[in-house]
Amino acid sequence: MNKPKMATEKGVPSNSRVLMLLGQLERINGEAMVRDVETARQVTTKILHLIQTQEKSGKEVMSKGSSGMEVILASLENSRDVQTTLNILYILSELLTVGRGRRVGVFVSKGGTGILFQILITASKEPPSEELMLQLHSLLAKVGPKDRKFGVKARLSGAMNVTVNLLKQNLQNTKLLLPCLQVLRVYSANSVNAISLGKNGVVELMFKIVTPYSKKNTSLLKVALDALGALLKSKTNARRAVDGGHVPVMLALYLDWHRNDTRHRHMLIRKGLLVCLRNITNIKLGRKAFIEADGMRVLYNTSTECLPVRTLDPLVNTSSLIMRKCFPKNRLPLPTIKSAFHYQLPHIPAVGPLAQLYSQPPGVDDVVDESDDNDETEADTDTENEEDEKDHHTPNDDIETDLNKLHPKKSPSRPFEELRVYERFFLELSEDFQGYNFECSKSACTTSSSASYSSSASTRSPRPIIVPTAQALSPKHVHMPSCQEDCNSIKEQHTQPSPTPSTPTLPAPLTPLELDTIHLSKDQHQKEEAHIPTPDRHTMSSLTRPSSEEQMIDQELAHALEHAALEDEGALNAEDGVKCIRQEGSPVNTRRHIQSPLLLGGISTRRVGGGGSNWGSDCGSEGAEDEGPVLEVPDTALLLPLHDPDIYVEMVKGTHSVPHYAEVAYPDYFGHVAPTFREPLLERVYGVQRAKIFQDIERLIHPNDILDKVVYDLDIPSCPVIEDNGESLKFNSQFESGNLRKAVQVRKFEYDLVLNSDINSNHYHQWFYFEVSGMRVGTTYRFNIINCEKSNSQFNYGMQVLMYSVQEAISGRPRWVRTGTDICYYKNHFARSSIAAGGQKGKSYYTLTFSTSFSHKDDVCYFAYHYPYTFSTLKMHLSKLEELRTPQIYLRQDVLCQTLGGNSCPLLTITAMPESNSNDHICQFRNRPLIFLTARVHPGETNASWVMKGTLEFLMGTSPLAASLREAYIFKIVPMLNPDGVVNGNHRCSLSGEDLNRQWQSPNPELHPTIYHTKSLLQYLTQIQRAPLVFCDYHGHSRKKNVFMYGCSVKETVWQSTISATSSDLQEDLGYRALPKILSHIAPAFSMASCSFVVERSKESTARVVVWREIGVQRSYTMESTLCGCDQGKYKGLQIGTRELEEMGAQFCMALLRLKRMTGLRNHQHLLDLESDIIGNQSKVVSSCSTTYVLEEDEPSFLEAIDYSAESNDEDVEPENEHAVHDNPDQLSDSETNHRD
């Protein structure tokens, strides 16, 4: 080693005594040190004394300009005298003890670690000096954690073996044993070292050191357990511990310390024992040994005793993690995890998830096979850089790096002749209105319009209205006024919408909705008397009662509140119901009397659903002359102008489902009036997840307490509802958009619920919508949905489920409300096999658990993942939108195509009528820019439909802003891209079992008709040089809060990748940011910070990217609305509701209007601030998942850390692409940071 030249820092006095001594030490370095041993001893002794007694001396040695450390290390390396070496080690120990972080870093950077190892090896070959070994290991223990190459250096130099031999020889020498164990703990952090140490017998050595409860040598024991825990991270060592029979020993030791450490002074030792057990149980052999040693009971009992002491939470949490890991993996209680419903496709693709599903052998798709937990063979390779890798954030490899793919295609994808067939969907682009009488439409038809509105208002008057019910004959058609006929004839001639809102037929030749069969007749002489069946088959008179009597009849009413079953047009045979008005101060005062249930002709009268009582069987079998049970229900039309129960029932008749649903859910029939009160995010109760997990573990500990009683099962087609003695809740999901496959009563008031897979799939479990009845008032019920798949959920961050009470509805409050307490979402012990998981290791399911109580006895309640919005609801809303049409609105409804399931896919065209048929007005009409909107490609994202509802209502509104918007643009809207998925209760797929938002690159006309034809519309527009100004696909987001957008930008994608691009490649109009920027200013729920404009490979087949790349629409977006709530702006801390979602749809329209005014300006000064916005909102790469590139995760850490990572972007993430992070021992549920050691 070259002699360092002593230097002093500017400002440090050159006559400083310690620096003078260091200069003297420098001069005797080398051979002189060997010759003049006494001088070296004296100088080092004096330096040590100064550093020990004067703090400034140490600072002078370690100051930045000083070379003191080099001199000391050179002397240490050259010293051959034990005392001199000890003096220098003492000096280093003193120096590194103070301000340890930076000083140790300096020591390591100067090569100090290597010198210490060299001295250690040299000393081991000479007569042993205990003090020297003690000081060497003490110093190594200090510097080891700061030296990333420490483990590798120790192994390669041979120092590790010296330490091991020293350990074996000094098991009784606690003074020397402690620093040796401290160094061993650092050695073991390197996985290769851990394997090598295991082979050298160190694991067995550690078990000799770990002893039962004792007040002596507790520090030694703590370090030994830390070292053992590090060693046992190696699967090889874990197997060695299992083979040595140490698992029962560890449990016995833990139990001994638990019983004797009554004052909890040695919690770290107990935690160390648990960490060892945790690492052993990472392998299957370890879990098996743990179960055989009755480890579940031991940890459950000890944890239960620790629960009252908050400071023992780290023990409880680690115990909980071990027990969850060792809980035997079970298959779901299903015959197969494929959907309970089967739909035969016209053909099966050769490749893809569907081909894989159909190629699986029967009976093995959900068996947890032996390969699921196979231990991976550990390669004996050096992982010296593993610490570096941990600290290095790898770039997101999902970002698109091919510049060719980041620029729109130049050549058309399909010949124009092939696309010409789509011209019929764009009649407005060629309409000349020459035969249309604008004066007639403005005068006569306007009069007719006002007359029809007064007629409509009269239907809301106190005069009762006969509503067709199950036993009622349909009244004859009501003849329309002649003025309407005149307008209809004009409409037919010009394929243009009638200006009369009461016209019941649709203008398009391919209309999906036949409204001629919907009739209302007025009868003022109907009596306000109804008969309600009671459980004992007697009837009671139900006159218009004062509110004080309402509660008395709630129970009797509930028995009649089963399901509104569908009626067949030919089976309307009985007395008409009555609608009357009550003024009682409730939100909905108007009442209608309907006969319930509404039955569909040809359906068996036996009850097919659960809930209430079984009176329906008797009622349905009675003669047509007998008067059926009559219910008094709210008329929500006063508050819901776009809702009509009668029209809804008619629409359901034309909706085709795979299970052939014959019932209507009450919430869809009654409608939903958004509550006026606020619904804040639920505050998470401390310990809730842990408490739920412990209740799950009790099932294994006390199996005799578990009922395990199936109460509902769709896999029993003839009778899914299992009859019982009234001790169980009744469930049902056999209605449009319903999803619940099985319900199992596990305890008296606890139920496990299993969701149905998407049809032609074996996964996508998230959406649920089901009915519950037969409940007790005031009793808390716990519901566990046990086959969720996403690795995290907003249910962990304040989101609640939705509940709809029929008793509340008939009391005038028809609404969905957020409900549920003790809500959490966590990994459970159910799993699917590697085959079912698509070739991955068997994946665990997750449990969503919530508790709730019911306010009304024998109520009928519905639970849903989010506010339901069925396909029939859409059809009803579209039919009601016709009534909003004025002569100034151009509205056309076409059928884009038929779906696989036989449902029609509506296409709407909305704009303003031209002022006249003059050339100027017609030209302006035809040349308006197009806005193309789509929604609901994912059935479970019902919030997208509510946003779309808000958009449609705004567009059809009478406000000047709405009129300006219609005059500015032509809107082409596909409000529901996946009707089949919506109807059948799917979460993500269509009947083809595929995510339709992954099919935009090459949609199949047979398997993906809605995507194929929607893309064809866009391709046609490109061919005729009329590409939309804006394309937006409405979605819902389950992992993030607020509303935000995803767009496409070459520049922002390049900035977040390693692409080397020229400035010409990055030429880009920043207008793509204008619309989200406007929304961030006007929409309180919208968050610009959550937006992202990066193009990813995994999203290349989504609508947003394909429309941007292939159609050339610069402003191509996905607008994501939270399913949970907001954490910023006006709605901060609140859960989102339909009012806010519809408001968002209207505000999107307002933003388009502002965009029009903005883009109409000649100069584009408004874009200048967008560049700084881009820089200011730089996105962060989430490296935990290849498909998680979005802006910074919006979830703050909270009291209970979740033991799996949240994937921040599920814009279109498929479950098989989600990489759930395994349980992190440092992120234990219910733990607080100040309790972590």
Side-chain angles (χ1 to χ4, degrees), residues 1063-1074:
S1063 57
S1064 60
D1065 290 326
L1066 299 181
Q1067 287 298 317
E1068 185 173 47
D1069 185 352
L1070 295 177
Y1072 67 88
R1073 270 185 166 257

Side-chain angles (χ1 to χ4, degrees), residues 1011-1038:
I1011 304 301
Y1012 178 84
H1013 293 293
T1014 303
K1015 184 178 180 181
S1016 297
L1017 293 178
L1018 291 159
Q1019 289 172 324
Y1020 172 78
L1021 288 172
T1022 305
Q1023 289 279 21
I1024 64 171
Q1025 308 299 311
R1026 293 296 301 274
L1029 175 70
V1030 172
F1031 172 86
C1032 190
D1033 189 18
Y1034 292 1
H1035 279 254
H1037 205 294
S1038 68

Side-chain angles (χ1 to χ4, degrees), residues 962-981:
S964 298
L965 189 62
R966 291 191 295 268
E967 291 166 3
Y969 299 111
I970 296 172
F971 286 85
K972 305 298 284 193
I973 301 173
V974 185
M976 192 170 283
L977 280 169
N978 192 351
D980 288 345

Side-chain angles (χ1 to χ4, degrees), residues 1 28 32 63 148 175-176 273 422 437 477 509 543 554 578 664 674 698 778-779 875 897 919 1024 1111:
M1 186 174 179
I28 62 172
S63 57
R148 291 182 174 179
K175 186 180 178 183
L176 183 57
L273 287 163
Y422 294 95
N437 188 335
H477 293 204
L543 300 174
D554 278 352
V578 180
V664 174
E698 284 176 14
T779 299
K875 293 193 292 182
C897 62
N919 286 339
I1024 64 171
I1111 309 300

Side-chain angles (χ1 to χ4, degrees), residues 414-430 510 892 894-897 907 909 930 932 972 1003-1006 1008-1024:
R414 290 171 66 186
F416 182 66
E417 290 304 317
E418 192 179 318
L419 295 167
R420 190 184 290 275
V421 66
Y422 294 95
E423 186 177 5
R424 66 191 178 95
F425 294 108
F426 296 96
L427 299 176
E428 68 279 359
L429 300 183
S430 57
L510 293 173
R892 192 177 73 251
D894 298 299
V895 175
L896 177 63
C897 62
L907 169 66
T909 304
L930 277 91
F932 207 110
K972 305 298 284 193
N1004 184 299
E1006 276 191 297
H1008 325 117
T1010 60
I1011 304 301
Y1012 178 84
H1013 293 293
T1014 303
K1015 184 178 180 181
S1016 297
L1017 293 178
L1018 291 159
Q1019 289 172 324
Y1020 172 78
L1021 288 172
T1022 305
Q1023 289 279 21
I1024 64 171

Side-chain angles (χ1 to χ4, degrees), residues 212-460:
Y213 177 77
S214 170
K215 293 182 180 179
K216 296 179 181 179
N217 301 323
T218 53
S219 298
L220 181 75
L221 193 56
K222 170 66 177 69
V223 176
L225 285 170
D226 287 347
L228 180 58
L231 287 168
L232 292 173
K233 284 183 180 179
S234 157
K235 292 181 179 178
T236 306
N237 290 339
R239 276 191 291 270
R240 190 173 280 112
V242 173
D243 294 340
H246 294 300
V247 174
V249 174
M250 295 293 291
L251 283 167
L253 284 170
Y254 179 71
L255 195 56
D256 181 62
W257 278 90
H258 170 80
R259 287 172 177 167
N260 290 289
D261 184 25
T262 53
R263 302 183 71 177
H264 313 305
R265 291 180 173 177
H266 305 296
M267 192 185 73
L268 295 181
I269 292 176
R270 292 156 68 181
K271 175 74 181 292
L273 287 163
L274 287 176
V275 168
C276 293
L277 282 169
R278 185 193 69 198
N279 292 342
I280 290 176
T281 52
N282 281 335
I283 64 170
K284 182 183 290 185
L285 278 175
R287 293 190 287 274
K288 183 181 177 185
F290 179 83
I291 294 291
E292 289 174 351
D294 205 19
M296 294 291 279
R297 189 179 300 275
V298 170
L299 292 195
Y300 175 80
N301 290 337
T302 54
S303 300
T304 306
E305 293 170 15
C306 290
L307 282 174
V309 185
R310 190 78 173 261
T311 54
L312 298 182
D313 276 357
L315 303 183
V316 177
N317 294 328
T318 310
S319 297
S320 170
L321 193 149
I322 296 168
M323 288 187 284
R324 290 174 65 193
K325 197 189 314 179
C326 295
F327 203 117
K329 291 292 181 186
N330 295 335
R331 56 178 285 171
L332 287 169
L334 298 172
T336 171
I337 59 172
K338 293 176 186 174
S339 174
F341 305 133
H342 177 70
Y343 178 81
Q344 185 60 49
L345 293 170
H347 70 273
I348 308 299
V351 294
L354 203 59
Q356 184 181 355
L357 182 75
Y358 274 82
S359 65
Q360 288 178 7
V364 299
D365 58 351
D366 59 347
V367 176
V368 181
D369 55 27
E370 289 301 313
S371 65
D372 284 355
D373 295 315
N374 276 355
D375 305 322
E376 298 163 5
T377 307
E378 289 179 301
D380 207 2
T381 55
D382 202 341
T383 53
E384 59 187 81
N385 296 320
E386 60 186 354
E387 290 87 358
D388 291 315
E389 291 166 7
K390 287 177 188 173
D391 293 340
H392 178 67
H393 292 287
T394 56
N396 188 341
D397 57 5
D398 190 37
I399 297 177
E400 183 57 74
T401 55
D402 186 345
L403 280 173
N404 294 324
K405 291 185 178 181
L406 288 176
H407 290 285
K409 290 183 177 179
K410 304 299 180 185
S411 58
S413 55
R414 290 171 66 186
F416 182 66
E417 290 304 317
E418 192 179 318
L419 295 167
R420 190 184 290 275
V421 66
Y422 294 95
E423 186 177 5
R424 66 191 178 95
F425 294 108
F426 296 96
L427 299 176
E428 68 279 359
L429 300 183
S430 57
E431 177 63 70
D432 57 14
F433 297 96
Q434 293 308 311
Y436 182 76
N437 188 335
F438 283 88
E439 292 304 316
C440 172
S441 71
K442 290 177 182 177
S443 57
C445 291
T446 303
T447 306
S448 168
S449 174
S450 62
S452 70
Y453 278 128
S454 64
S455 170
S456 173
S458 71
T459 64
R460 307 303 172 203

Side-chain angles (χ1 to χ4, degrees), residues 397-597:
D397 57 5
D398 190 37
I399 297 177
E400 183 57 74
T401 55
D402 186 345
L403 280 173
N404 294 324
K405 291 185 178 181
L406 288 176
H407 290 285
K409 290 183 177 179
K410 304 299 180 185
S411 58
S413 55
R414 290 171 66 186
F416 182 66
E417 290 304 317
E418 192 179 318
L419 295 167
R420 190 184 290 275
V421 66
Y422 294 95
E423 186 177 5
R424 66 191 178 95
F425 294 108
F426 296 96
L427 299 176
E428 68 279 359
L429 300 183
S430 57
E431 177 63 70
D432 57 14
F433 297 96
Q434 293 308 311
Y436 182 76
N437 188 335
F438 283 88
E439 292 304 316
C440 172
S441 71
K442 290 177 182 177
S443 57
C445 291
T446 303
T447 306
S448 168
S449 174
S450 62
S452 70
Y453 278 128
S454 64
S455 170
S456 173
S458 71
T459 64
R460 307 303 172 203
S461 70
R463 292 184 298 173
I465 295 176
I466 300 171
V467 182
T469 63
Q471 293 84 13
L473 289 170
S474 177
K476 293 182 180 179
H477 293 204
V478 181
H479 192 65
M480 296 294 176
S482 59
C483 179
Q484 294 185 18
E485 292 176 357
D486 295 338
C487 292
N488 284 342
S489 65
I490 295 172
K491 177 194 70 178
E492 288 165 7
Q493 290 174 16
H494 302 287
T495 65
Q496 164 237 318
S498 162
T500 311
S502 58
T503 306
T505 55
L506 295 177
L510 293 173
T511 173
L513 306 175
E514 287 296 332
L515 306 186
D516 290 332
T517 57
I518 299 169
H519 313 287
L520 293 177
S521 64
K522 306 184 184 77
D523 185 353
Q524 297 193 35
H525 306 293
Q526 274 288 355
K527 295 182 179 179
E528 299 182 4
E529 181 173 343
H531 294 283
I532 299 172
T534 55
D536 59 0
R537 300 292 303 144
H538 295 301
T539 59
M540 61 178 289
S541 176
S542 172
L543 300 174
T544 304
R545 295 176 174 82
S547 59
S548 60
E549 294 184 30
E550 277 193 312
Q551 215 166 2
M552 297 168 58
I553 64 164
D554 278 352
Q555 179 176 352
E556 284 76 17
L557 279 171
H559 288 289
L561 291 175
E562 298 288 353
H563 315 277
L566 303 187
E567 55 178 282
D568 188 70
E569 292 175 56
L572 307 173
N573 299 322
E575 293 292 326
D576 296 335
V578 180
K579 184 165 84 172
C580 62
I581 285 186
R582 264 209 235 162
Q583 301 296 334
E584 294 182 1
S586 61
V588 182
N589 291 327
T590 306
R591 306 282 175 166
R592 66 166 61 191
H593 289 125
I594 66 166
Q595 295 185 336
S596 176

